[in-house]
Amino acid sequence: DVPAATERGVLIGNTPGVLTETTADLAFALILATARRVVEGVDYIKAGKWRTWGPLELLGVDVHHATLGILGMGRIGREVAKRARGFDMQILYHNRSRDETAEREFGAKYLEKDELLAQSDFVSVHVPLSPQTRHYLSERDFALMKPSAILINTARGPVVDQAALYQAIKNGQIAGAGLDVTDPEPLLATDQLLSLPQITVIPHVGSATRATRGKMAEIAARNLIAALQNQTMLSCVNPQVLKTDNL
């Protein structure tokens, strides 16, 4: 609660930037895993079902040359776009403002949100959580998407209306989803989302590599030391606290 912390003179440090590429890697891993039904394939073998082979078993969808819609062309969204170029994907994006650099570098095309949802084979969400973006994707939005579309969320769980997502996939409005974030977290093993094989859910591990978590820990420690010594943090969410008499 940034306003409450600021009012009480509590400095808040964070670790932006250092996890950008690692989280983008994970977002693309979810695109691939969900499109090619990787988790279903693992479960298929573990269940002892791989006794014969059939040409129509576990058919997925191609990622290469598909259309990727990016909601939020920030640091992570841009890195996902960069990776999509390697798969010859058509890149669409929606953002609060046009990103002409992304358009030049990645060939990205700006669209309004509804148009992006209607045209994309994959929709990857990279918007921050705020009162305005809570349930940013809900029943109305899923109805606009292709029946073959796959949703990827590595942003924050409440950005997606999970009850609406469940119904959209169960009823065939969209084909599936790959989620690194959920609402709530941790997600109960009995949650209805987990009953659908078309949904790949992992436990908020977007930044979970040894190198990235090490860098995050170092920045957090340096933020703490700087604050305790009345010095400038490497990254501070509410630097206005330093300009008041709260400390």
Side-chain angles (χ1 to χ4, degrees), residues 67-71 73 81 85 89-95 97-113 115-116 119-120:
T67 299
L68 172 64
I70 296 176
L71 293 172
M73 189 62 89
R85 284 287 301 276
M89 300 183 84
Q90 179 185 359
I91 301 167
L92 311 176
Y93 79 99
H94 178 72
N95 203 42
S97 57
R98 293 279 293 269
D99 187 335
E100 294 182 359
T101 302
E103 292 175 13
R104 289 193 303 271
E105 290 184 3
F106 313 125
K109 180 181 178 182
Y110 177 86
L111 289 180
E112 293 298 330
K113 179 185 172 185
E115 294 179 276
L116 180 149
Q119 295 184 30
S120 298

Side-chain angles (χ1 to χ4, degrees), residues 19-231:
L19 49 73
T20 297
E21 292 178 282
T22 302
T23 304
D25 285 350
L26 193 280
F28 219 86
L30 281 172
I31 290 173
L32 291 167
T34 309
R36 297 304 302 273
R37 303 173 65 179
V38 171
V39 175
E40 289 182 73
V42 171
D43 292 342
Y44 183 83
I45 291 176
K46 288 184 176 180
K49 296 180 180 179
W50 192 19
R51 298 185 180 90
T52 58
W53 176 84
L56 300 182
E57 290 187 60
L58 290 171
L59 294 182
V61 296
D62 285 327
V63 174
H64 64 83
H65 295 94
T67 299
L68 172 64
I70 296 176
L71 293 172
M73 189 62 89
R75 287 187 297 261
I76 296 172
R78 287 172 58 84
E79 289 294 328
V80 171
K82 183 188 296 184
R83 285 149 179 76
R85 284 287 301 276
F87 283 76
D88 292 318
M89 300 183 84
Q90 179 185 359
I91 301 167
L92 311 176
Y93 79 99
H94 178 72
N95 203 42
R96 285 177 292 186
S97 57
R98 293 279 293 269
D99 187 335
E100 294 182 359
T101 302
E103 292 175 13
R104 289 193 303 271
E105 290 184 3
F106 313 125
K109 180 181 178 182
Y110 177 86
L111 289 180
E112 293 298 330
K113 179 185 172 185
D114 287 1
E115 294 179 276
L116 180 149
L117 294 174
Q119 295 184 30
S120 298
D121 299 308
F122 299 88
V123 175
S124 191
V125 187
H126 303 284
V127 298
L129 177 61
S130 68
Q132 291 72 37
T133 61
R134 183 172 294 274
H135 288 186
Y136 182 69
L137 289 172
S138 58
E139 181 179 358
R140 172 189 174 277
D141 303 290
F142 298 131
L144 295 172
M145 294 170 67
K146 297 179 180 181
S148 58
I150 290 173
L151 174 71
I152 305 297
N153 186 13
T154 56
R156 288 292 182 268
V159 168
V160 173
D161 181 342
Q162 284 186 185
L165 175 63
Y166 171 80
Q167 291 297 332
I169 295 175
K170 182 180 179 183
N171 298 333
Q173 281 187 306
I174 67 173
L179 310 176
D180 182 42
V181 289
T182 58
D183 182 19
E185 291 182 5
L187 190 69
L188 293 176
T190 55
D191 192 282
Q192 62 181 1
L193 282 181
L194 301 180
S195 67
L196 298 178
Q198 305 96 316
I199 300 182
T200 299
V201 183
I202 52 178
H204 204 155
V205 291
S207 62
T209 66
R210 291 184 178 89
T212 296
R213 287 287 170 86
K215 292 174 185 175
M216 292 169 69
E218 180 180 353
I219 293 172
R222 290 184 181 277
N223 277 340
L224 286 168
I225 292 168
L228 291 170
Q229 295 178 345
N230 291 323
Q231 297 175 357

